[in-house]
Amino acid sequence: ILQSPEAIQFYEHLIEQFGPHGQCGIHLLKQENNILAGQFALYQGAVCSLMKIGYDESFSKLAPGNMLLEALMKRHQGDDEIQEINLISGMDWHRNWRPSVMPISNYFQFNFNSRSLLAYSLYQGKKWTETLVRGTGDEPVETERVYSL
């Protein structure tokens, strides 16, 4: 995050928007004075969304990110306030937890003005070119997976 000014600005904005309402959480796994793993979470209703998970790679064999996730799950087990922990993305290591998988799609809506029509034309041209390069007539559906525990 520190290497990207855009990422810093993004997370600062989330803190500014959600922090005053008590909807931000920073969870840390520590050993003495060392931070082994961290999570940045947003809380909305009964859902804890893990926006960013990071760990000290020198401790990777201990799986500190998994340890911190397990601690978070134990903390909210039987909790009436938090019913779902949303992992946001579909990283391979998430599958180890056997989460529920929710497919998501990207939709684009363009205004009816000259700039938007140009953007729409470029977007459609890009999709058409990708279809030609792949050599199939099938229209790809842009989907990702979101894992929730």
Side-chain angles (χ1 to χ4, degrees):
I1 293 174
L2 294 176
Q3 304 301 318
S4 169
E6 294 85 10
I8 292 170
Q9 186 178 13
F10 172 73
Y11 288 104
E12 286 176 346
H13 178 74
L14 290 177
I15 292 168
E16 289 170 6
Q17 296 298 309
F18 292 93
H21 306 288
Q23 295 176 305
C24 277
I26 296 177
H27 315 133
L28 299 174
L29 177 65
K30 293 182 174 182
Q31 178 194 33
E32 297 175 2
N33 293 331
N34 298 321
I35 296 174
L36 306 183
Q39 299 167 337
F40 177 75
L42 294 180
Y43 291 87
Q44 292 183 296
V47 179
C48 170
S49 298
L50 297 179
M51 303 299 293
K52 184 68 176 167
I53 302 171
Y55 63 93
D56 183 336
E57 291 187 14
S58 64
F59 293 96
S60 64
K61 289 186 179 181
L62 300 174
N66 280 320
M67 292 170 67
L68 187 55
L69 182 56
E70 181 179 15
L72 180 68
M73 290 172 28
K74 284 182 179 179
R75 179 171 18 149
H76 292 300
Q77 186 175 11
D79 189 340
D80 289 336
E81 290 183 34
I82 301 300
Q83 300 294 314
E84 177 182 331
I85 298 172
N86 189 327
L87 300 173
I88 301 294
S89 64
M91 302 298 290
D92 288 340
W93 69 270
H94 293 163
R95 283 191 231 131
N96 297 336
W97 294 94
R98 296 189 197 140
S100 300
V101 178
M102 297 177 285
I104 61 170
S105 297
N106 296 321
Y107 296 95
F108 299 93
Q109 182 173 347
F110 297 91
N111 293 327
F112 194 73
N113 60 38
S114 58
R115 284 177 45 184
S116 294
L117 290 174
L118 175 61
Y120 175 76
S121 297
L122 292 171
Y123 176 73
Q124 291 292 48
K126 178 180 180 267
K127 286 182 11 182
W128 180 74
T129 303
E130 288 171 349
T131 301
L132 286 177
V133 169
R134 273 195 314 275
T136 69
D138 298 334
E139 184 64 32
V141 177
E142 296 183 41
T143 61
E144 295 180 35
R145 295 182 191 183
V146 175
Y147 295 148
S148 281
L149 301 171

